[in-house]
Amino acid sequence: MNTTSIYQIIHQLKRLQTLPCVSSIAMHGRQVRVDELHAALDERGYKGPRPSRQLKCMSVEVINAALYEADPMHTRCGENDSKNEYQTIALSVLQNIQHGMVMEAALDQALCEIFGDHLVNGEQIESVIHELVGMSAG
């Protein structure tokens, strides 16, 4: 673990946080791994932004809420209190990750299908990922 960089640990945490739900035994195993990775960050004295310590189960509701909060396409859904603005996209994302696609690719594909490739970029995807994983300071 000592040769793993802080960036790699955070990336692993993001990946674990955005995998689709599976059996409760597998989810328990994931939570143990999340705890181990956070312990590695703690051992190194890392105080920067990191994903939540509590594993989430990805669902349409969780993904939709993250899209609503991040509003990656600047639809002003928050100002308009349109909480289901991204519901169709959330469903597509969930289906994509359930079929083995990583979250970043699933978000990119779903957003591009609705808004077009020319309007979607990595910064938007990252803002949604940060919402999904509960990215916060130490």
Side-chain angles (χ1 to χ4, degrees):
M1 180 61 80
N2 290 339
T3 60
T4 306
S5 73
I6 287 173
Y7 172 82
Q8 290 169 321
I9 293 170
I10 291 171
H11 182 75
Q12 288 176 34
L13 283 165
K14 286 180 182 180
R15 182 84 170 95
L16 286 168
Q17 285 283 13
T18 58
L19 289 171
C21 292
V22 288
S23 71
S24 60
I25 293 170
M27 291 301 285
H28 174 74
R30 280 188 199 165
Q31 183 62 57
V32 168
R33 184 70 182 131
V34 165
D35 294 341
E36 291 170 352
L37 291 167
H38 276 289
L41 290 175
D42 293 342
E43 287 172 14
R44 296 172 186 209
Y46 179 72
K47 301 288 185 210
R50 63 169 77 188
S52 171
R53 291 177 184 263
Q54 181 58 49
L55 192 62
K56 285 185 202 173
C57 186
M58 287 296 112
S59 66
V60 171
E61 294 77 22
V62 167
I63 297 166
N64 184 64
L67 286 160
Y68 172 81
E69 289 299 323
D71 192 15
M73 303 312 296
H74 307 290
T75 64
R76 300 172 64 166
C77 57
E79 293 172 29
N80 299 325
D81 200 32
S82 184
K83 295 194 186 287
N84 291 325
E85 179 93 13
Y86 288 104
Q87 189 78 19
T88 302
I89 293 168
L91 178 59
S92 178
V93 169
L94 182 64
Q95 290 170 342
N96 287 340
I97 65 169
Q98 288 172 331
H99 287 97
M101 197 177 277
V102 296
M103 182 61 76
E104 291 89 344
L107 283 166
D108 185 69
Q109 181 175 319
L111 288 169
C112 286
E113 284 174 1
I114 302 295
F115 295 99
D117 292 355
H118 63 290
L119 294 177
V120 179
N121 63 47
E123 187 176 306
Q124 294 155 325
I125 303 304
E126 192 68 16
S127 71
V128 178
I129 295 291
H130 280 202
E131 286 293 331
L132 279 171
V133 303
M135 199 77 165
S136 65

